[in-house]
Amino acid sequence: MVRVKVNDRIVEVPPGTSVMDAVFHAGYDVPLFCSEKHLSPIGACRMCLVRIGLPKRGPDGKPLLTPEGEPEIAWQPKLAASCVTAVAEGMVVDTLSEVVREAQAGMVEFTLLNHPLDCPTCDKGGACELQDRTVEYGLYEKYYQKEPLELPVYTRFEFTRRHVDKHHPLSPFVVLDRERCIHCKRCVRYFEEVPGDEVLDFIERGGHTFIGTMDFGLPSGFSGNITDICPVGALLDLTARFRARNWEMEETPTHCALCPVGCGITADTRSGELLRVRAREVPEVNEIWLCDAGRFGHEWADQGRLKTPLVRRGERLVEATWEEAFAALQAGLRGARKEEVGIYLAHDATLEEGLMAAELAKALSTPHLDFEGRTAAPASLFPPATLEDLLRADFALVLGDPTEEAPLLHLRLSEFVRDLKPPHRYAHGTPFADLSIKERMPRRTDKMALFAPYRAPLMRWAALHGVHAPGEEREILLALLGEKEGSEAIRRAKEAWERAERPVLILGAGVLQDAVAAERARLLAERKGAKVLAMTPAANARGLEAMGVWPGEKGAAWDEAGAPYAYYGYVPPEGALRGKRFVVLHLSHLHPLAERYAHVVLPAPTFYERRGHLVNLEGRVLALHPAPVENGEAEGAIQALALLAQALGVRPPFRLALEVERELKARKVPPPMGLLAYRSKALRPKPQEGRLYLRPSMWRGQQLQGRVAQAVAPELWAHPETAKKEALLEGAKVAVETPVGPVEARVVLREDLPGGFLYLTALGPLAGRRQEASLLVPTGGDA
């Protein structure tokens, strides 16, 4: 450790720590615009200037002492940027002297030279770093009051501010106000260093400099993070713009439940509306980043909500009270044998809801128990790796597409190939200026091998990669096990895997949906003692499996017919609904299949409004907290299943969430952020046939509303030769039949795809599956 004196406090920090983080660690503040957590500092803003000194040393190398016995300090002649200066033993840092305050005030004044004074109309008002720095460091009496008895002059500004393009859309989700931009370069460095998509840069020079991109749109699934890290109101979230002031919104810290990563988010609400979703710092999981689907895809939570129960009267569903819904449950389940009742939970059901379902299934002695998106092989078949284990690994073998299946893994793998390790945690948390991060760091492509059914974005960072046909994962794994000859890339990947001392295996839905491939992947990992990150289509797969939510012998799966009576926490495929005697759907939004088949529809909360716990792909327990979103009479699965039990004449295992939480504690389920150790070897093989591959996507079907519907559209990919045989034209729109109904998709031709297959955006829990292709008449588009 290195001892550093900051003003009047002595702190010990690891070697290589920036002076900025030493100052924060000592409990002092230092202003900054250019630096941000997990971005390389470049000292561009000069707000973090400090005075630095080192002990003087004599000819013998020993420190010279003052008459008081203290080391004599040799101060540097000029102030230094604390974000790019590393600490040294015995260093003295001054952040409070007059010369430092004067420099900081001067930089605030310089930053404000051309910044418009539109705070009353700026969405960043109340959360603007420039406002805060101006109040804290801007006004310096030496500049503005020449004589003690004179009135101070609060500005020296005497010329016209620059005027440039305002409200310039960078993408369907992000708008740029160039007048407000202070050229801190955070957004440019973010794209270069975090997702690795170099799409923004400085254009022109001097006073004409502006941030821009060559084409409309930011070709990255992580573009929304620039709205968080922008220190002013230059980059704004279009889904939340002009909807509320920052101090009017209620902030709820919770976690995203769209994918198995479980990123920390802050849900901002006002008057019962979900106005904005921002990334929340959770260093172990998502650091401070969030994918675009998690950030911008929240408008569905407010639109078209189901707020009261619906009961079928004749051919129609009509609004009813909960009492009337319970009466309909009793009538519909009268005469039902308990073992004929199916209980099927949503993919993002909490641990508490999973335990309730498992206990109720035991009470009913029914084998029909499952959850949406369960794969043929459980996630708990593999020993889980943490995301920090990935950074410490020396080789990563990826079978799938992390960018779409578990988006934050893309950013973690970006750190992994740059040899970045988990940062040291200081008293103030994650370092603001991590000096181990350099600009344009070389990426070690030899550390990763990636194989996927199509060309995935991460292949650019993998020296060993390959595109294979859907369903060939089992042959690739057989070659990696050394029991079959493979391609040159697979052979070299096998050698790299065997040489590695701390490898990590990352598996996508294509492997998990194939029980044979998954079993081979388990053997590959166990022979090497490697840990696995399983990218399941279900957000809480590990947690629900640990609670025992799994079909029993002869039990129907979540997408199969079989149980004559069924409760669903989601909309199942139409084939599972046909022929049912009584169907209860527990939904947040009404669906055409619910109108056609459901006998009772109960209103459900979205994951934004739910209280409970999830388990992510690391096996980490994450807490959900309910945001105050207007959802009418919606109730969670615990209450709905308790009503189901009463209608069947069975005493509910639990009635309140507190009872379930108490039982979870008794079962030694770890507290939030703890790791849940649960392994299972259960397999549920399901044949995969057909030439239509449901390609994983970070977006979900329910999100395609509002602005997202205009920006994100399902696509049908095909090789040109395959498209020619199917009479598909580039840009045409076709309707593709899926288990949950027809999907309109735009045809995209790609030379890098295997021939004979069609790739449809999955938008849900069927990702990684194959089925027979059923294309309807083209509906239009540009040929």
Side-chain angles (χ1 to χ4, degrees):
M1 302 294 280
V2 177
R3 287 168 58 87
V4 180
K5 184 176 182 181
V6 181
N7 298 324
D8 59 346
R9 299 175 187 172
I10 297 177
V11 295
E12 291 188 351
V13 292
T17 298
S18 66
V19 170
M20 173 183 286
D21 283 300
V23 172
F24 280 117
H25 190 67
Y28 291 97
D29 192 15
V30 59
L32 71 156
F33 285 135
C34 69
S35 241
E36 182 63 19
K37 295 173 183 176
H38 299 288
L39 292 181
S40 69
I42 58 173
C45 71
R46 297 294 173 186
M47 276 297 297
C48 63
L49 292 173
V50 294
R51 188 165 169 246
I52 293 175
L54 288 169
K56 287 185 178 179
R57 298 185 181 274
D60 57 357
K62 295 182 179 179
L64 299 179
L65 302 179
T66 63
E68 291 79 16
E70 296 292 330
E72 187 176 348
I73 302 301
W75 295 98
Q76 293 183 1
K78 293 185 178 181
L79 302 182
S82 62
C83 67
V84 292
T85 306
V87 296
E89 181 64 37
M91 178 181 283
V92 177
V93 182
D94 168 29
T95 68
L96 302 177
S97 63
E98 291 294 306
V99 65
V100 174
R101 291 180 60 209
E102 183 178 338
Q104 291 169 343
M107 290 311 303
V108 170
E109 185 180 36
F110 185 74
T111 304
L112 289 171
L113 277 180
N114 286 306
H115 194 78
L117 301 179
D118 58 356
C119 299
T121 62
C122 179
D123 263 10
K124 201 77 169 184
C128 175
E129 293 182 41
L130 183 56
Q131 285 181 336
D132 297 339
R133 300 296 175 255
T134 302
V135 170
E136 295 168 3
Y137 300 94
L139 180 61
Y140 188 63
E141 291 79 359
K142 183 177 178 181
Y143 278 175
Y144 307 110
Q145 195 171 13
K146 295 181 180 179
E147 298 295 334
L149 297 180
E150 290 183 4
L151 292 175
V153 178
Y154 286 97
T155 180
R156 299 183 296 174
F157 196 88
E158 296 179 353
F159 49 89
T160 303
R161 298 175 187 271
R162 65 174 181 146
H163 294 284
V164 291
D165 190 15
K166 293 179 73 69
H167 319 309
H168 174 75
L170 290 179
S171 78
F173 300 115
V174 179
V175 66
L176 168 64
D177 191 317
R178 287 174 176 158
E179 278 192 358
R180 295 175 186 162
C181 179
I182 63 172
H183 303 158
C184 66
K185 209 182 178 184
R186 277 188 188 177
C187 56
V188 176
R189 296 201 321 276
Y190 163 76
F191 277 115
E192 289 176 356
E193 299 172 19
V194 183
D197 304 313
E198 299 189 16
V199 295
L200 282 180
D201 206 347
F202 282 148
I203 302 174
E204 301 291 351
R205 300 182 69 183
H208 300 287
T209 302
F210 65 92
I211 295 291
T213 182
M214 296 299 294
D215 302 306
F216 177 74
L218 300 173
S220 171
F222 309 94
S223 63
N225 291 309
I226 60 177
T227 65
D228 277 349
I229 65 176
C230 180
V232 293
L235 292 164
L236 295 174
D237 176 352
L238 279 171
T239 64
R241 189 164 173 250
F242 296 151
R243 298 189 69 185
R245 308 297 291 178
N246 282 287
W247 55 85
E248 295 174 334
M249 291 188 278
E250 185 171 346
E251 301 178 356
T252 304
T254 183
H255 287 269
C256 179
L258 290 174
C259 82
V261 176
C263 300
I265 61 172
T266 298
D268 292 332
T269 56
R270 187 184 76 159
S271 301
E273 284 189 88
L274 179 60
L275 303 182
R276 181 174 65 184
V277 171
R278 292 176 291 136
R280 180 170 62 89
E281 184 178 11
V282 183
E284 298 86 351
V285 183
N286 61 307
E287 298 173 324
I288 56 171
W289 312 123
L290 191 61
C291 74
D292 284 353
R295 181 183 300 276
F296 300 124
H298 60 80
E299 293 178 290
W300 65 280
D302 289 321
Q303 298 178 3
R305 286 298 295 271
L306 182 63
K307 296 186 176 181
T308 60
L310 302 178
V311 173
R312 185 166 296 279
R313 300 276 188 256
E315 298 297 320
R316 296 176 57 249
L317 289 172
V318 299
E319 291 188 0
T321 64
W322 275 90
E323 289 77 11
E324 291 171 331
F326 178 62
L329 283 175
Q330 287 182 310
L333 295 171
R334 188 174 295 120
R337 292 188 298 171
K338 297 179 177 61
E339 62 272 15
E340 293 180 332
V341 178
I343 302 174
Y344 301 100
L345 296 180
H347 76 98
D348 56 358
T350 63
L351 291 180
E352 290 81 355
E353 293 168 344
L355 182 58
M356 172 71 175
E359 292 299 313
L360 180 56
K362 286 181 184 177
L364 297 175
S365 299
T366 177
H368 306 299
L369 173 67
D370 208 351
F371 63 91
E372 178 191 23
R374 178 192 54 76
T375 51
S380 47
L381 182 68
F382 312 97
T386 66
L387 295 173
E388 293 191 347
D389 288 338
L390 174 61
L391 295 186
R392 296 188 182 97
D394 55 0
F395 185 72
L397 176 59
V398 186
L399 298 175
D401 181 9
T403 308
E404 299 292 344
E405 300 186 67
L408 258 291
L409 268 181
H410 177 110
L411 306 186
R412 290 292 193 166
L413 286 166
S414 173
E415 297 178 9
F416 170 72
V417 295
R418 287 181 288 156
D419 272 340
L420 296 177
K421 306 303 179 189
H424 179 80
R425 304 281 165 74
Y426 298 93
H428 61 279
T430 310
F432 277 85
D434 190 346
L435 296 183
S436 65
I437 304 176
K438 312 294 182 185
E439 280 197 280
R440 298 190 178 275
M441 294 181 69
R443 299 181 187 270
R444 286 191 52 194
T445 58
D446 61 302
K447 292 183 66 176
M448 182 165 63
L450 192 150
F451 301 94
Y454 51 90
R455 183 162 185 83
L458 280 171
M459 286 182 179
R460 57 187 163 167
W461 298 335
L464 304 172
H465 62 264
V467 175
H468 58 82
E472 287 186 1
E473 290 88 354
R474 56 172 67 181
E475 283 74 21
I476 290 174
L477 283 159
L478 201 62
L480 290 169
L481 286 167
E483 300 177 16
K484 180 182 178 180
E485 288 295 323
S487 65
E488 176 65 16
I490 294 173
R491 184 186 63 79
R492 292 171 57 195
K494 174 180 176 295
E495 294 173 355
W497 174 265
E498 292 173 347
R499 287 195 306 268
E501 296 180 359
R502 300 179 307 281
V504 168
L505 181 61
I506 302 176
L507 302 177
V511 174
L512 301 175
Q513 299 283 18
D514 185 339
V516 175
E519 183 62 21
R520 290 173 180 173
R522 182 184 67 81
L523 288 173
L524 181 68
E526 288 185 353
R527 286 182 185 178
K528 191 66 180 176
K531 294 183 178 180
V532 179
L533 288 168
M535 302 182 292
T536 58
N540 192 26
R542 280 194 175 274
L544 295 174
E545 290 164 8
M547 294 299 102
V549 181
W550 189 266
E553 188 178 354
K554 297 183 180 180
W558 66 275
D559 58 342
E560 298 174 348
Y565 308 85
Y567 160 92
Y568 290 99
Y570 57 95
V571 179
E574 187 171 6
L577 291 171
R578 291 195 189 102
K580 287 279 196 295
R581 299 176 195 168
F582 192 76
V583 175
V584 182
L585 294 183
H586 191 199
L587 308 173
S588 59
H589 295 74
L590 195 58
H591 190 275
L593 290 180
E595 295 179 326
R596 192 180 311 166
Y597 292 100
H599 297 89
V600 175
V601 181
L602 303 176
T606 66
F607 68 83
Y608 299 111
E609 308 133 42
R610 206 173 293 159
R611 186 186 301 278
H613 296 85
L614 304 174
V615 178
N616 74 350
L617 79 173
E618 307 171 276
R620 192 179 303 279
V621 179
L622 306 173
L624 296 181
H625 300 285
V629 177
E630 170 56 37
N631 57 19
E633 300 175 14
E635 293 287 354
I638 294 176
Q639 289 73 23
L641 291 175
L643 282 185
L644 182 71
Q646 285 186 294
L648 289 166
V650 175
R651 181 179 177 179
F654 309 100
R655 292 183 183 275
L656 301 173
L658 288 175
E659 295 179 272
V660 194
E661 290 177 12
R662 194 179 303 120
E663 179 63 22
L664 287 176
K665 288 181 181 178
R667 297 190 180 198
K668 307 298 184 184
V669 173
M673 301 311 295
L675 295 174
L676 178 64
Y678 174 76
R679 295 288 306 280
S680 169
K681 291 192 176 181
L683 293 172
R684 182 89 177 188
K686 188 176 183 68
Q688 298 292 312
E689 298 176 353
R691 56 194 179 87
L692 178 64
Y693 179 71
L694 298 176
R695 178 181 63 85
S697 168
M698 69 169 66
W699 298 92
R700 297 294 183 259
Q702 70 266 25
Q703 294 180 295
L704 302 188
Q705 300 185 34
R707 189 174 294 276
V708 174
Q710 303 169 17
V712 179
E715 294 180 341
L716 183 68
W717 294 353
H719 188 277
E721 291 298 324
T722 305
K724 185 177 180 180
K725 293 178 182 178
E726 298 287 342
L728 296 173
L729 300 178
E730 175 82 30
K733 292 184 178 179
V734 296
V736 186
E737 192 64 38
T738 71
V740 291
V743 172
E744 187 179 80
R746 184 172 63 89
V747 176
V748 177
L749 304 186
R750 293 182 49 159
E751 295 276 358
D752 57 349
L753 295 176
F757 287 90
L758 300 175
Y759 293 73
L760 177 67
T761 309
L763 296 174
L766 292 167
R769 293 271 189 95
R770 283 185 294 143
Q771 66 176 56
E772 289 299 329
S774 178
L775 305 183
L776 305 182
V777 179
T779 60
D782 298 328

